Amino acid sequence: MPATAAEHARLRLIGEQRIPHRLVFDGTVVGGLSGIDYDARSGTWVMASDDRSEFSRARFYRARLDYDAAQFRAVKLEAVHLFRQADGSTYPAQGGEVADIEAVRVDPTDGSIWYASEGSGKLGLSPFVRQAAPDGGYRAALPMPALFRDDPTHLRGPRNNLSFEGLSFAPDGRSLWLGMEAPLYQDGPVATPEHGAVSRFTQFNRSGKVLAQYAYPLDRVQGMPAAGRFGDNGVSEILVLDTLHLLALERSGVQDAAGHFVFHIRLYIVEVDGATDIVGYPSLAGADYRPLRKRLILNFDSAGLEKVDNLEGMSWGPPLPNGHRSLVLLSDDNFSDDEVTQLLAFELLPASD
C-alpha cells in the first residue's frame, strides 16, 4: 500500500461475534484470548490465551470465522493445542517458567506458530518470544537483548505485566516486529490521566538480530479512575500494514468506584519513516530522538458498538469479495464475569473509497 493510501485509510465495521463466557472446549476453559492470527494455508484462525496455566495449560485454539463484507455470522472452535517447553512439558502454573502469552502469529513461510510472553517481574521471569510447531511443540527461542531482561532492582528492564504485547511479521516474512506495552523502567514513568509515556517497537531478523528500534509515543490514560482505583494506557497489539507503516492498538483500562473496568480503545496508523533508530539508547529519559508518528484511524468510543471490551488481539483476514482487506480484533475477558470475549470484523477502506 503506498504511503499516501496508508495515511488516509479508514475502517468500516462489518459485525461482531462473541464466545460464551468460560465455555468449556475439549477439556479447556476458553478465555483470556489475547492474540489472534489468520492461517491462510488452512483457512483457520489461531487464538492464544494468556491464562498462566491456572484454568487450563497455556494453549491456543484454532477456529473458523464466517464473515464477508456484509455480515459477521459465526465463530466455530475446531481444536485446541498446548504450548510446550523445550523438554516437551507444558508450561506450569507455578514453579519454573510460567508463561503469560500476549501475542501470537502464524509464520508466513512454514505455518509454524510464534508467540510472545511478557514474563513476570513478580516471579523474576523475563519476557520471551518463541517458535512452536503447528501443534504447539517447541521449536526455538528468539534471542533477546539484555535491555529486555528482568531486573530485580526495578531500576531497568521491563515492568511487571507491561512488556511484550505486540508481535507481527514484516510483509516479506523475513523479520518480526515486537511491541512493548509500556515504558522500560529507565525510559520514564507510565502513562497517567495527565501525561502520556513512551514504549519501544523493535524489529528483529529471524535469528534474533535487532535490525531497528523506535520510540512509540503513548497517549495519556483515557479517563479518570475513581478514588483509590486503577487506570492505565498501553499498546495491546501491533500489526504490520506495509513496509513503512504499522497499526498500533492502544488500550486504556479505567476502574470505576465498584472496581469495574471501562475500556477506551484507539487504533493508530504508525509511520516508520523519519523516526530515530534508538538501537543503542540505554535510556530514553532525557534523550534526543524523533518518535514514531501516528494517526488515529478509529476511536472505538465512537464505533457504534454496544460494548467495547479489552481488545488485545488484531489480525488481517482473507481479502473480501471486493478485494479490500479485512481486519479482525479480539478481546481478552480476563476470565472475569464483567468482561466478554468479542470478535470484531472490519473492512479496510482505501483512501479512494
Side-chain angles (χ1 to χ4, degrees):
M1 179 178 289
T4 53
E7 290 166 0
H8 298 286
R10 298 172 290 120
L11 287 178
R12 180 185 69 83
L13 177 65
I14 296 171
E16 174 186 6
Q17 287 291 320
R18 296 185 183 182
I19 296 176
H21 184 57
R22 297 201 184 188
L23 173 72
V24 175
F25 176 80
D26 200 11
T28 68
V29 181
V30 181
L33 301 181
S34 58
I36 186 170
D37 204 26
Y38 179 63
D39 184 353
R41 285 178 173 80
S42 63
T44 62
W45 296 75
V46 171
M47 300 186 295
S49 175
D50 67 1
D51 179 6
R52 298 186 180 190
S53 295
E54 295 173 352
F55 294 89
S56 307
R57 292 297 184 179
R59 61 202 176 279
F60 66 94
Y61 298 90
R62 284 193 180 267
R64 292 193 183 271
L65 308 188
D66 180 10
Y67 68 85
D68 54 27
Q71 186 180 6
F72 191 179
R73 285 174 287 270
V75 178
K76 181 183 179 182
L77 298 179
E78 290 196 339
V80 60
H81 299 283
L82 304 182
F83 284 110
R84 301 280 176 174
Q85 301 183 88
D87 65 0
S89 65
T90 57
Y91 287 96
Q94 57 185 350
E97 192 161 30
V98 177
D100 186 351
I101 298 167
E102 297 290 348
V104 67
R105 293 296 173 199
V106 177
D107 193 318
T109 67
D110 64 7
S112 61
I113 307 296
W114 292 72
Y115 60 103
S117 169
E118 63 179 351
S120 172
K122 292 182 179 179
L123 299 176
L125 300 174
S126 296
F128 63 74
V129 175
R130 290 179 182 164
Q131 181 187 24
D135 65 357
Y138 179 91
R139 280 198 178 174
L142 196 71
M144 283 291 119
L147 191 74
F148 295 133
R149 293 177 192 156
D150 179 73
D151 185 341
T153 69
H154 294 165
L155 298 175
R156 308 184 62 77
R159 287 176 159 88
N160 181 58
N161 207 35
L162 293 174
S163 59
F164 295 173
E165 281 278 336
L167 186 67
S168 186
F169 276 96
D172 62 6
R174 297 172 63 183
S175 63
L176 301 94
W177 285 87
L178 182 66
M180 292 283 292
E181 180 176 0
L184 297 168
Y185 279 109
Q186 68 267 31
D187 287 342
V190 297
T192 72
E194 292 75 34
H195 63 75
V198 63
S199 66
R200 297 190 186 220
F201 289 179
T202 308
Q203 186 180 22
F204 296 83
N205 71 10
R206 296 176 66 91
S207 62
K209 179 183 177 181
V210 174
L211 302 176
Q213 190 175 80
Y214 303 98
Y216 177 82
L218 288 161
D219 293 346
R220 62 177 179 83
V221 176
Q222 303 294 292
M224 183 67 67
R229 295 298 187 176
F230 177 78
D232 72 347
N233 183 67
V235 173
S236 62
E237 184 59 283
I238 63 172
L239 183 63
V240 170
L241 177 60
D242 56 40
T243 55
L244 296 176
H245 301 88
L246 309 171
L247 296 184
L249 194 64
E250 285 195 49
R251 173 204 52 208
S252 279
V254 180
Q255 282 184 310
D256 62 19
H260 304 306
F261 275 98
V262 176
F263 294 100
H264 302 280
I265 314 291
R266 286 92 53 225
L267 182 62
Y268 289 98
I269 289 181
V270 181
E271 184 177 354
V272 175
D273 193 35
T276 301
D277 186 344
I278 58 169
V279 170
Y281 283 52
S283 170
L284 297 180
D288 182 20
Y289 61 87
R290 293 185 306 278
L292 294 162
R293 291 189 296 172
K294 65 182 187 180
R295 178 184 70 82
L296 183 67
I297 186 172
L298 182 62
N299 183 338
F300 284 77
D301 288 350
S302 56
L305 291 157
E306 174 190 356
K307 180 182 179 69
V308 177
D309 217 283
N310 182 29
L311 295 175
E312 292 199 357
M314 179 168 58
S315 172
W316 299 116
L320 297 170
N322 61 10
H324 293 172
R325 298 176 88 169
S326 66
L327 180 73
V328 172
L329 287 90
L330 172 69
S331 71
D332 174 359
D333 70 350
N334 290 307
F335 298 96
S336 168
D337 294 337
D338 297 328
E339 298 174 37
V340 299
T341 299
Q342 68 180 161
L343 294 101
L344 306 174
F346 290 88
E347 176 184 9
L348 182 69
L349 300 173
S352 59
D353 285 24

